[in-house]
Amino acid sequence: MKKLSAVGLTLALIAATAQGAQPPSRDPLFQVAGAFRDAAVHDDHLYLLAGEVAAGQPDVLVLHLGGGKVGQQVSRYTARYAPLALSAAAGWMFLTEGDRGLEVVDIRDSAEPRWAAHVPLEGYSHRAVLRDGTALVASGFGGLHLLDIQNPGRPSLLSSYQAYPPPQNAGEDGTESVGLFAGEDLPESLLPMASPSDESGYFRPDDLPAYEGNEEEITPQDIRDREGVLDVALDGAIAYLAYGSAGIVILDISNPRNPRRIGGYQTEWPAESIAVRDGRAYLTSGVGGLLILDITDPIRPKKLAQLRTRCYPKRLAVRYGFVYLADGLCGDKGLLVIDVQDPATPRVVERLTGRIENVRVLGDRVVSLGVHKARGYSLFSR
């Protein structure tokens, strides 16, 4: 796709600011049929990560972008394991693969993606954020892993950070396990089961506010999907971790070999997805919906606003005064556009079509990913 130059992007932003930021066009720039869970744009190519993949089908589709439209399929890639999310930068693609860790793919030739490396990581790797030769991998109960990717074909682990031990390890050092994590004074409703090693699940049905229903509905996958480090967002050398029922954990990563906790915020519901921009943190908080925090002082975050949504929010992205929120599967207009120019009074100004599980802001586009289609919208047109 034709890119905005640095000058063009700046002028577009100035114009949007001068006239008041606007939600994206209701009419998509492009649509791709199929169930997709993540997306990235690199060198005029769209990389789409498929949802449930049948045997023999590719995990990643590589499509050409031109003039704002999706063109022909350029290539496809089948991962070694089952990827959950992807990120791309500087000719390399990074796939997080649950309990298998991180897979690195060489995409310098978009017509022929090639496997480059695999890094096994402790925990259940959900998502990777790339910044300045470092990959930060949110890995559930394994915590946050920081990898040196200056040579992407040979990544190396710099450090790992766990704010709390996994429930199955709590108390191993002789300390009393209080609440969901050892040493934490959490509400009584979050007390662990008497037998946390039971593979049927760590918690009683009502232990975690985001879980509803009978005990048999709670699976180990539920626990892995909604606990530990689920997402990470960066603001310079400060990392904000969405840490499930533990809320937000804030780290100083100026020395990536020695991450240091400097703050946190206990949420009412599990923190699952997070983005930071302009001194504010935006996060999905289970059935609590969208939560907005003032992080101008990262040591002492303050709640600005909360907005409950119709469904169960999955992911979000922020750009130019709007939050784009994937509101799950209960309705057919699941991409919410939320005006947060006044962060104390967020308001839904648009509901775009689809049952949406993820949303990405990629350059000058919003890309929604749902159970039926991936759609791209322009950030700058009505």
Side-chain angles (χ1 to χ4, degrees):
M1 177 177 182
K2 183 179 179 181
K3 298 179 180 177
L4 285 173
S5 67
V7 172
L9 184 58
T10 301
L11 291 175
L13 177 55
I14 291 173
T17 302
Q19 299 173 7
Q22 300 291 325
S25 170
R26 292 184 181 183
D27 299 321
L29 292 168
F30 60 79
Q31 302 185 68
V32 181
F36 298 99
R37 65 172 75 212
D38 208 353
V41 169
H42 183 262
D43 282 349
D44 294 337
H45 291 90
L46 176 67
Y47 293 77
L48 287 175
L49 177 62
E52 297 296 326
V53 177
Q57 295 299 308
D59 295 287
V60 180
L61 299 180
V62 185
L63 306 170
H64 180 69
L65 286 172
K69 303 295 183 180
V70 168
Q72 64 182 3
Q73 179 177 309
V74 174
S75 60
R76 44 201 265 171
Y77 179 77
T78 300
R80 295 203 170 182
Y81 303 106
L84 302 175
L86 64 79
S87 301
W92 301 86
M93 179 168 63
F94 298 82
L95 303 172
T96 47
E97 298 179 332
D99 53 13
R100 299 291 187 168
L102 186 72
E103 181 170 337
V104 185
V105 184
D106 185 344
I107 57 171
R108 288 175 291 183
D109 180 357
S110 58
E112 192 175 357
R114 296 186 177 187
W115 180 89
H118 175 256
V119 184
L121 296 170
E122 182 181 353
Y124 195 79
S125 296
H126 294 276
R127 199 172 194 185
V129 173
L130 314 176
R131 179 74 61 84
D132 298 332
T134 303
L136 293 90
V137 185
S139 294
F141 286 132
L144 178 72
H145 301 296
L146 292 87
L147 284 73
D148 183 344
I149 56 169
Q150 295 184 72
N151 181 354
R154 300 185 65 182
S156 60
L157 183 64
L158 293 169
S159 63
S160 298
Y161 179 88
Q162 282 185 337
Y164 313 96
Q168 64 269 36
N169 297 340
E172 285 187 352
D173 60 358
T175 61
E176 181 181 1
S177 177
V178 179
L180 180 58
F181 303 100
E184 277 297 290
D185 184 15
L186 294 182
E188 184 178 355
S189 63
L190 295 182
L191 291 176
M193 291 175 61
S195 302
S197 60
D198 183 355
E199 286 299 318
S200 65
Y202 294 118
F203 313 107
R204 294 186 299 269
D206 297 328
D207 282 346
L208 302 180
Y211 306 157
E212 298 178 354
N214 298 321
E215 184 169 2
E216 60 268 24
E217 295 177 354
I218 301 175
T219 67
Q221 186 69 45
D222 291 328
I223 304 300
R224 291 184 299 187
D225 283 353
R226 294 179 181 173
E227 288 302 338
V229 182
L230 305 177
D231 197 8
V232 55
L234 292 177
D235 184 11
I238 306 298
Y240 296 82
L241 312 184
Y243 222 115
S245 292
I248 305 302
V249 171
I250 304 171
L251 304 180
D252 180 342
I253 59 166
S254 54
N255 178 359
R257 296 184 182 275
N258 185 30
R260 182 172 58 90
R261 181 172 180 168
I262 60 171
Y265 185 90
Q266 179 64 60
T267 55
E268 180 181 5
W269 309 100
E272 300 184 4
S273 176
I274 188 165
V276 297
R277 197 168 189 90
D278 300 328
R280 294 190 286 271
Y282 304 86
L283 58 137
T284 61
S285 186
V287 295
L290 171 69
L291 182 63
I292 305 177
L293 303 179
D294 180 339
I295 54 169
T296 50
D297 179 359
I299 297 176
R300 300 175 184 83
K302 297 178 182 179
K303 180 178 176 180
L304 289 172
Q306 185 170 5
L307 178 69
R308 292 180 180 263
T309 62
R310 291 180 179 176
C311 299
Y312 190 106
K314 300 288 188 178
R315 291 283 182 182
L316 55 74
V318 183
R319 191 64 58 89
Y320 305 145
F322 291 92
V323 168
Y324 303 92
L325 189 144
D327 200 27
L329 307 179
C330 76
D332 60 359
K333 290 190 175 183
L335 177 60
L336 307 188
V337 183
I338 303 170
D339 187 335
V340 292
Q341 294 174 75
D342 178 357
T345 57
R347 58 190 182 91
V348 177
V349 295
E350 197 73 83
R351 298 179 185 270
L352 299 177
T353 189
R355 297 187 176 185
I356 311 300
E357 294 194 273
N358 195 4
V359 60
R360 289 276 205 171
V361 171
L362 303 171
D364 57 352
R365 316 167 193 82
V366 179
V367 178
S368 68
L369 301 130
V371 297
H372 301 299
K373 290 182 180 180
R375 294 181 173 90
Y377 300 89
S378 171
L379 281 172
F380 297 113
S381 62
R382 288 291 292 169

